[in-house]
Amino acid sequence: MSQSVKKPLAALQKAIHKRIVVKLKSDIEYRGKMCNIDPYMNVILEDAEEYNKNTLSANYGKVVIRGNNVLFVKIEDDF
Amino acid sequence: MSQSVKKPLAALQKAIHKRIVVKLKSDIEYRGKMCNIDPYMNVILEDAEEYNKNTLSANYGKVVIRGNNVLFVKIEDDF
Amino acid sequence: MSQSVKKPLAALQKAIHKRIVVKLKSDIEYRGKMCNIDPYMNVILEDAEEYNKNTLSANYGKVVIRGNNVLFVKIEDDF
Amino acid sequence: MSQSVKKPLAALQKAIHKRIVVKLKSDIEYRGKMCNIDPYMNVILEDAEEYNKNTLSANYGKVVIRGNNVLFVKIEDDF
Amino acid sequence: MSQSVKKPLAALQKAIHKRIVVKLKSDIEYRGKMCNIDPYMNVILEDAEEYNKNTLSANYGKVVIRGNNVLFVKIEDDF
Amino acid sequence: MSQSVKKPLAALQKAIHKRIVVKLKSDIEYRGKMCNIDPYMNVILEDAEEYNKNTLSANYGKVVIRGNNVLFVKIEDDF
Amino acid sequence: MSQSVKKPLAALQKAIHKRIVVKLKSDIEYRGKMCNIDPYMNVILEDAEEYNKNTLSANYGKVVIRGNNVLFVKIEDDF
């Protein structure tokens, strides 16, 4: 089996520079390029777009999202 | 007694690569193949499908769910 | 006094393999056989049945419930 | 002054085997005999009765209540 | 300046045996004599009276309030 | 640049004896003289006044506010 | 690649003295100049303006926002 098994936080680290979707507990989504992430899931997002029920609701540029608000992180490309 | 008694987190570790259902506190479910999980219950889910009251509401591919949102994890196969 | 006084977490450990009811903060109950439990009250439940206001609402097989959702654990047999 | 000043958790330890009322954040009360308690306020209650606005709503036998749900513990006898 | 500056938790310790009001996040108040308090703000209250919008709603005798529910503690006498 | 850069908790320490506004998550404000504060943002407030939507709703004298309820602390004077 | 990859908290540290927007879980925003920030995301904001649905609702001068209320921090300039 060539595919190694990564722990959740290591998998997120590996996805740095990829496009991600950060879904919050409040159901709002932030989409953009992940610049970095730490073990608490604090995440830097570039060209961040806010989506509310799949409708673009705001553009934020570069934001740092506090990890405790995160429901899940989806990586657009395989990771 | 041949069946060993596993601690909850060890039992989850043993279920890596099996299909699971992750039920959230918000009652939403994510179903897919578990790629990995850590002691905080952060979990990588592949081919993740979102269900809302047993109706498929979204397909997400690969996601990392933050453990603190989890209500329970159900393993489809015995574990 | 022959009856020893157990700490709450030790008492739960002693009830492994007994039938329990796990009541959640959301008032939903999960009933089944407890396979194991850890100090955080993460609990493995076998033949788990979900009850909502004393009505069976779902069968889940084997689940791992995340401890922070637990309101109380009731042991069917003495423990 | 003969009466010693006990810290809150030591005072609860001293009340083991006494009747208590455990009031939850949700305003529900559990009344019964306290078998044991730990510093997190996880508490074993025997002959536990559930009261909702001072009306008996359920009998639970022996339960372990997870400490983080507790609003206060009232000891029926002096402690 | 003769008046020493006390840290919040030391100031609460100094007020043991004084009358206090414990205001909760839920806006309910418990008034009584403080027997003891610990750094988590778990507090033993004697002759505890419950007030709801400044109306006496219950008498509880001696209770141990779990600190995480506390909004503020008011000391009746100077401290 | 003569003005030194203080960390948030050090800046709060420096404001002891000044008038502050403590805004809570619940939107209620407590205004008064800060006697002391600790790193958890537990704060002693003297001559504490409660404001609800900018209307004075209560006078509390000296209170110790538990830090986890705080949204922000505003210092009336520069700090 | 000349652009270094910063961890989320290091990136916030680097943005000290820049204008930021602090978005709270409650959807309210505070805009101002960031004087300092710590790893918990406690942040000192100067000339803080409160916005509610993009409408200016209050001016606060200098405030220390408690980190656990933060949803995200947006830096106006590149960082």
Side-chain angles (χ1 to χ4, degrees), chain F residues 3 10 28 32 42 45 47-48 55 73:
Chain F
Q3 198 187 1
I28 289 173
N42 296 319
L45 214 57
D47 301 326
T55 307
V73 176

Side-chain angles (χ1 to χ4, degrees), chain G residues 40-70:
Chain G
Y40 191 63
M41 293 203 196
N42 296 319
V43 54
I44 309 178
L45 213 58
E46 205 174 50
D47 300 326
E49 296 171 318
E50 184 183 86
Y51 282 82
N52 205 330
K53 296 174 195 298
N54 283 314
T55 306
L56 181 67
S57 46
N59 282 284
Y60 285 115
K62 212 167 190 174
V63 298
V64 179
I65 300 173
R66 203 172 188 265
N68 66 316
N69 300 288
V70 173

Side-chain angles (χ1 to χ4, degrees), chain D:
Chain D
M1 193 174 68
S2 64
Q3 198 186 359
S4 69
V5 176
K6 283 188 191 59
K7 284 282 177 192
L9 298 174
L12 289 171
Q13 283 290 336
K14 186 151 173 290
I16 287 172
H17 302 310
K18 293 194 174 165
R19 287 191 61 74
I20 62 167
V21 178
V22 179
K23 180 126 173 171
L24 303 187
K25 297 176 185 184
S26 63
D27 205 44
I28 289 173
E29 287 180 10
Y30 294 93
R31 304 182 187 170
K33 202 187 99 180
M34 177 166 61
C35 299
N36 214 330
I37 193 164
D38 68 19
Y40 192 63
M41 293 204 194
N42 296 320
V43 55
I44 309 177
L45 214 57
E46 204 173 51
D47 301 325
E49 295 170 321
E50 185 183 85
Y51 282 81
N52 205 331
K53 297 174 194 296
N54 283 315
T55 306
L56 182 66
S57 47
N59 282 284
Y60 286 115
K62 212 167 192 172
V63 297
V64 180
I65 299 172
R66 201 170 189 267
N68 67 315
N69 300 287
V70 173
L71 172 53
F72 67 69
V73 176
K74 171 184 172 4
I75 314 294
E76 298 285 352
D77 306 318
D78 258 23
F79 70 110

Side-chain angles (χ1 to χ4, degrees), chain F residues 19-53:
Chain F
R19 287 192 60 75
I20 63 167
V21 178
V22 179
K23 179 124 173 175
L24 303 187
K25 296 175 187 188
S26 64
D27 205 44
I28 289 173
E29 286 180 11
Y30 294 93
R31 304 182 188 170
K33 201 187 100 182
M34 177 166 61
C35 299
N36 214 330
I37 192 164
D38 67 20
Y40 191 63
M41 293 204 195
N42 296 319
V43 55
I44 309 178
L45 214 57
E46 205 174 51
D47 301 326
E49 296 170 319
E50 185 183 85
Y51 281 82
N52 205 330
K53 295 173 196 298

